[in-house]
Amino acid sequence: MRDYDEVTTFLGEWGPFQRLIFFLLSASIIPNGFNGMSVVFLAAAPEHRCRVPDTANLSRAWRNHSIPLRLLDGREVPHSCRRYRLAVIANFSALGLEPGRDVDLEQLEQESCVDGWEFSQDIYLSTIVTEWSLVCEDDWKTPLTSSLFFVGVLLGSFVSGQLSDRFGRKSILFATMAVQTGFSFLQIFSINWEMFTVLFVIVGMGQISNYVVAFILGTEILGKSVRIIFSTLGVCTFFAVGYMLLPLFAYFIRDWRMLLLALTVPGVLCLPLWWFIPESPRWLISQRRFSEAESIIQKAAKMNNIAAPRVIFDPMELQELKLPGQQKVLILDLFRTRNIATITIMSLLLWMLTSVGYFALSLNAPNLHGDAYLNCFLSALIEVPAYITAWLLLRKLPRRYIIAGVLFLGGGVLLLIQFVPAGAYNRVLPYIVMGSLTVFIGIITLFFPESFGMTLPETLEQMEKVKGFRFRKKPRDSVQKEENPKVLITSF
């Protein structure tokens, strides 16, 4: 039985059809870039202080000294969560006493911000923090918002592949695209933090599902030589483009509800792509829908100005695929044998720990010294040369050494941050943790089986023969002769 790539060799690698699929699928990733990072601006916490009501009977001097000072980064600033007890200072004001001269401010009784807060509008007109006062005793809700978004991402990661195997790549791609866009729009009408956060979890599910399924669909349709470009300069670069658009939108739109509205527009513009992006022929074959798969390949050949063979799939091959008894693959099969389970666990660690470093650094970019919008834009911009570098390296060098090398470099830099003078220890600690985890996963990567120049396994049976760092490269011909990958199993 011939491999799918062998069957469709006549299409070429980079014709009009492949270019259309490449750019349309990559463009569908743009909303993922700003939805994944939007919490940076939606949940930003402006400078704030306790509100002193205008009705309070205070002199100008006492109103100016109603907030105690605290030391922050070596300078005194107004306290964000405390004020002097209003009844006490109102009494001093009525008696004509002056703060600092007649009254020792350090000895005054303090109270919480019982009348709410005043938020600075120098940078943000409104955020969910200012909308629902997520500060002081409720400041834990802001990081929880981000965490719950990534809970949605985790859930979406589990179900997206299973759903696309069951219902098709194209259907799930656009369904999750609609979920991401639709629930982002619904967030605009949130009446409280709880409603916003529940909707944000669903947005996270749609966001990662859209990304994963677009990635799968592109790698299944595009040829071997284009897949590396698609997975680096395509999907990843367009994600960075969406990420770069986020601070540009946020700079000109300082109200969080209007910003969310603007961020839903690109998602709506992606929905008409339904009429241009086809279903994966590989998935259709796995579902034994051969005529539909052949129709898509015929249309691709016509778009590429290539005469397709009269018979694309040999009837004998189709007859073999129709035989009963094909084994259904479940996610638990990834842990069925020791070898596959080891590679699965290492892959999970690689993705999880790399994501910890990436998102922690990206979400913290606006908190660095300087302009929050510029910092966020530069954080996104620097990804573009990184993806170009990755593409160039992946063409020539073994994969595991590339990954391990960049992880060692990134982790080492994070660990060196602790030697930068003047920062409190609690600010350095996250970088130490991220750096240590990144170096650790860099070491783990060295135990992965090498894939550079290899014919990739497409079934669990083939995967069981891959032996990590003990794996030795075989010539392509010998690997294919030993076990030629079958068309049916590509949906896994």
Side-chain angles (χ1 to χ4, degrees):
M1 183 178 297
R2 295 175 297 165
D3 175 64
Y4 175 83
D5 289 323
E6 182 183 351
V7 172
T8 56
T9 301
F10 69 91
L11 286 177
E13 292 282 329
W14 193 239
F17 172 74
Q18 289 89 347
R19 290 196 292 270
L20 179 69
I21 298 301
F22 181 98
F23 288 108
L24 292 186
L25 284 177
S26 298
S28 73
I29 298 297
I30 291 178
N32 295 61
F34 46 70
N35 275 311
M37 302 296 179
S38 61
V39 72
V40 166
F41 297 106
L42 297 177
E47 292 184 0
H48 53 278
R49 55 188 290 181
C50 291
R51 175 180 288 113
V52 177
D54 295 334
T55 56
N57 189 18
L58 297 176
S59 65
R60 180 183 298 273
W62 276 107
R63 187 172 291 277
N64 291 338
H65 289 81
S66 59
I67 307 297
L69 300 178
R70 63 188 178 102
L71 199 62
L72 179 65
D73 295 333
R75 61 190 182 94
E76 289 188 332
V77 297
H79 205 291
S80 301
C81 300
R82 306 291 293 176
R83 73 181 185 187
Y84 294 120
R85 185 171 292 277
L86 199 58
V88 174
I89 62 175
N91 184 47
F92 289 146
S93 178
L95 294 173
L97 301 178
E98 291 294 323
R101 186 189 69 184
D102 302 317
V103 179
D104 185 1
L105 295 177
E106 293 183 0
Q107 302 302 318
L108 287 181
E109 187 180 358
Q110 298 180 11
E111 62 183 359
S112 61
C113 302
V114 294
D115 293 305
W117 291 262
E118 294 178 354
F119 292 92
S120 169
Q121 293 188 333
D122 292 341
I123 301 177
Y124 309 102
L125 291 180
S126 72
T127 68
I128 65 169
V129 172
T130 65
E131 180 93 5
W132 298 304
S133 299
L134 307 182
V135 292
C136 300
E137 293 84 359
D138 287 333
D139 61 355
W140 57 272
K141 292 182 178 180
T142 302
L144 183 60
T145 303
S146 300
S147 298
L148 290 177
F149 172 82
F150 287 104
V151 168
V153 170
L154 178 64
L155 296 175
S157 300
F158 277 116
V159 303
S160 57
Q162 304 297 312
L163 290 175
S164 66
D165 281 348
R166 175 67 180 85
F167 299 104
R169 316 310 195 202
K170 179 178 178 179
S171 299
I172 299 303
L173 171 67
F174 284 92
T176 54
M177 197 182 296
V179 167
Q180 179 180 210
T181 303
F183 282 89
S184 292
F185 180 74
L186 289 177
Q187 281 184 292
I188 299 171
F189 306 100
S190 298
I191 59 175
N192 51 42
W193 173 78
E194 289 78 10
M195 178 179 175
F196 178 90
T197 305
V198 169
L199 293 174
F200 212 24
V201 172
I202 301 174
V203 171
M205 293 178 63
Q207 191 258 4
I208 190 63
S209 300
N210 176 21
Y211 186 93
V212 169
V213 178
F215 194 95
I216 294 172
L217 184 56
T219 53
E220 288 186 349
I221 293 180
L222 299 172
K224 295 178 181 178
S225 64
V226 184
R227 288 173 194 155
I228 293 177
I229 306 176
F230 175 72
S231 60
T232 52
L233 300 187
V235 170
C236 294
T237 302
F238 277 74
F239 180 93
V241 170
Y243 186 9
M244 283 186 278
L245 288 175
L246 173 63
L248 295 178
F249 276 85
Y251 181 81
F252 293 103
I253 307 173
R254 304 294 179 101
D255 175 78
W256 75 268
R257 293 182 191 270
M258 295 306 298
L259 175 60
L260 258 182
L261 179 61
L263 294 180
T264 61
V265 173
V268 174
L269 296 178
C270 287
L271 294 179
L273 299 182
W274 170 272
W275 287 275
F276 300 94
I277 296 177
E279 180 55 90
S280 166
R282 289 177 183 260
W283 180 80
L284 291 171
I285 293 169
S286 74
Q287 302 298 305
R288 305 180 183 183
R289 293 160 60 177
F290 307 112
S291 59
E292 294 176 60
E294 188 163 328
S295 174
I296 291 172
I297 296 172
Q298 294 279 7
K299 291 178 181 178
K302 183 177 181 181
M303 186 178 295
N304 286 354
N305 268 334
I306 294 174
R310 187 174 61 86
V311 177
I312 295 178
F313 298 111
D314 188 276
M316 295 299 294
E317 292 177 328
L318 299 184
Q319 187 63 33
E320 183 177 343
L321 290 177
K322 292 177 181 177
L323 292 176
Q326 298 290 348
Q327 183 181 5
K328 185 177 181 180
V329 178
L330 302 174
I331 192 169
L332 292 179
D333 290 319
L334 293 174
F335 302 92
R336 189 174 67 185
T337 65
R338 179 180 178 182
N339 187 52
I340 297 178
T342 300
I343 295 175
T344 299
I345 292 171
M346 290 195 302
S347 299
L348 291 173
L349 286 173
L350 175 62
W351 273 107
M352 286 192 296
L353 298 184
T354 302
S355 297
V356 166
Y358 173 78
F359 285 105
L361 291 173
S362 299
L363 295 174
N364 188 58
N367 297 326
L368 300 175
H369 179 74
D371 184 81
Y373 301 98
L374 181 60
N375 288 343
C376 186
F377 179 79
L378 292 177
S379 176
L381 181 64
I382 198 63
E383 293 189 14
V384 177
Y387 295 137
I388 294 174
T389 303
W391 170 60
L392 294 174
L393 292 175
L394 287 169
R395 296 175 61 197
K396 300 295 183 183
L397 299 176
R399 273 57 164 152
R400 57 180 174 177
Y401 296 129
I402 296 172
I403 298 174
V406 296
L407 289 174
F408 287 147
L409 176 62
V413 171
L414 289 172
L415 289 174
L416 289 175
I417 289 179
Q418 62 183 304
F419 300 109
V420 177
Y425 183 74
N426 65 333
R427 292 192 176 184
V428 173
L429 183 59
Y431 295 102
I432 297 176
V433 173
M434 287 187 291
S436 301
L437 292 177
T438 302
V439 172
F440 167 72
I441 198 59
I443 297 172
I444 294 295
T445 301
L446 295 175
F447 293 88
F448 274 100
E450 184 53 65
S451 62
F452 180 65
M454 303 302 300
T455 298
L456 298 180
E458 296 193 56
T459 66
L460 287 174
E461 288 72 22
Q462 293 173 10
M463 195 66 203
E464 288 175 358
K465 299 178 182 179
V466 180
K467 299 295 182 182
F469 66 93
R470 294 169 291 173
F471 185 76
R472 293 292 179 265
K473 180 177 178 180
K474 297 181 181 179
R476 288 179 181 268
D477 293 341
S478 66
V479 174
Q480 291 175 348
K481 184 177 180 181
E482 178 178 324
E483 180 141 11
N484 196 14
K486 295 178 172 57
V487 175
L488 178 63
I489 41 65
T490 55
S491 65
F492 172 75

